[in-house]
Amino acid sequence: ITEQVEAEARLRQQATLLRTILEHMNQGISVVDADLRMLAANHRFFKLLDFPDTLNREGVNFEAFVRHNAERGEYGPGDIEAQVRERVELSKKFLPHRLERMRPDGTVIEIIGTPLPSGGMVTTYTDITERKRNEARIQRESNFRQRLIESIPGIFYLFDQNGRFLLWNNNFESVTGYSAEELAALHPLDLFEGEDRDHIEARIGEVFVSGTATAQAHFKFKDGSTRPFYFTGERITLEDGSPGLLGVGLDMSEQKLAEDTLARQTHILKATLEAMDQGISVVDKDLH
């Protein structure tokens, strides 16, 4: 029986190794057979889900764990027997599943169930509370950033050194008439023509070299029309360490119209004064 003894020794060694691995995992793990009887569970499973030691024994039916949870309110308000029956009947189907459940203490557990070929289920339980908090924080920061971007007057944009737009506000789309997909495919220079294009190209180069620049040029929209804009550009470092250009563009049409009107009125006034027969002089409060 030498081979049998050696085989049994190997099995015991493998079982010991498996138990050691399970006990050192940061995830809770449970294994049930086709009759929902507990075959194995590591210490993390009982600690993470706060199950009593009385349930920590081989052969305990899965229903006992469900009932314990239902009685202490893990599944929320409702009829305990109905909660137990519903979950046990669902478990008997041995369907693969992945879900998140928040425990009464605020801990969020990710539960992943994988059916066994011979019947039964292996289930892992992972504490993702910190991850969910980080995701919520990132989402709040993203929402704040977007609100800040949308509050900027004029158009806001960010593109990399290859001229690929990475970020922009809604004003950019509404003003130019381009959709988000179209803007993503455009190069910043595609929005200018002639001398303005050359001028903007030089200013973009100046931003990436010196760090900042400003420019005035006619901005070309999707319908082919143009309007005068004042642009500012600032070099920043992107997440991958490469440089990017962060900029704002302000529509100068109204200001340009006001300046043209003032210049025209001034010209008319000067022409009127010069055409008068009387001599005219103007002095300030200091008689200058």
Side-chain angles (χ1 to χ4, degrees), residues 20-200:
T20 302
I21 292 173
L22 290 178
E23 291 301 339
H24 283 81
M25 293 183 66
N26 194 41
Q27 292 175 309
I29 296 180
S30 66
V31 184
V32 297
D33 63 14
D35 296 319
L36 294 181
R37 291 176 302 194
M38 186 69 71
L39 297 179
N42 62 357
H43 179 70
R44 179 63 173 163
F45 166 74
F46 287 92
K47 182 177 180 180
L48 186 60
L49 299 178
D50 193 27
F51 286 127
D53 293 337
T54 54
L55 295 177
N56 189 4
R57 64 183 189 277
E58 187 175 336
V60 177
N61 196 281
F62 176 73
E63 181 179 339
F65 294 90
V66 176
R67 184 172 298 279
H68 180 80
N69 275 342
E71 290 175 347
R72 64 179 176 175
E74 289 277 342
Y75 307 132
D79 182 71
I80 293 178
E81 293 302 323
Q83 291 179 341
V84 173
R85 184 170 56 253
E86 176 185 354
R87 283 163 175 79
V88 170
E89 289 301 318
L90 182 60
S91 299
K92 289 180 179 179
K93 297 180 181 180
F94 298 107
L95 300 174
H97 58 274
R98 185 189 193 114
L99 57 94
E100 295 177 4
R101 180 163 66 85
M102 178 179 288
R103 300 197 59 228
D105 63 0
T107 302
V108 182
I109 307 295
E110 181 183 55
I111 304 172
I112 302 175
T114 305
L116 293 172
S118 58
M121 180 81 72
V122 175
T123 308
T124 61
Y125 306 82
T126 307
D127 185 346
I128 60 171
T129 308
E130 192 61 31
R131 188 181 82 189
K132 299 298 289 185
R133 288 174 181 168
N134 289 336
E135 289 175 354
R137 176 180 56 80
I138 291 172
Q139 186 61 50
R140 287 195 302 271
E141 291 176 354
S142 176
N143 292 340
F144 173 76
R145 181 186 68 178
Q146 193 62 35
R147 288 196 299 271
L148 182 63
I149 290 173
E150 296 303 337
S151 69
I152 295 175
I155 64 172
F156 169 88
Y157 49 88
L158 170 66
F159 57 83
D160 61 20
Q161 58 187 341
N162 297 318
R164 181 170 61 96
F165 283 107
L166 305 176
L167 188 66
W168 57 85
N169 61 355
N170 289 331
N171 276 346
F172 202 119
E173 297 178 27
S174 60
V175 167
T176 62
Y178 288 105
S179 66
E181 292 76 14
E182 291 171 327
L183 284 175
L186 288 177
H187 189 281
L189 295 180
D190 295 335
L191 300 168
F192 302 92
E193 294 180 320
E195 295 181 356
D196 283 334
R197 180 186 175 98
D198 297 335
H199 178 59
I200 291 298

Side-chain angles (χ1 to χ4, degrees), residues 213-237:
T214 61
Q216 291 190 44
H218 281 78
F219 205 30
K220 184 178 71 173
F221 307 137
K222 184 178 179 178
D223 62 4
S225 63
T226 63
R227 288 212 298 266
F229 265 69
Y230 178 78
F231 300 96
T232 64
E234 186 84 15
R235 184 185 64 209
I236 66 169
T237 301

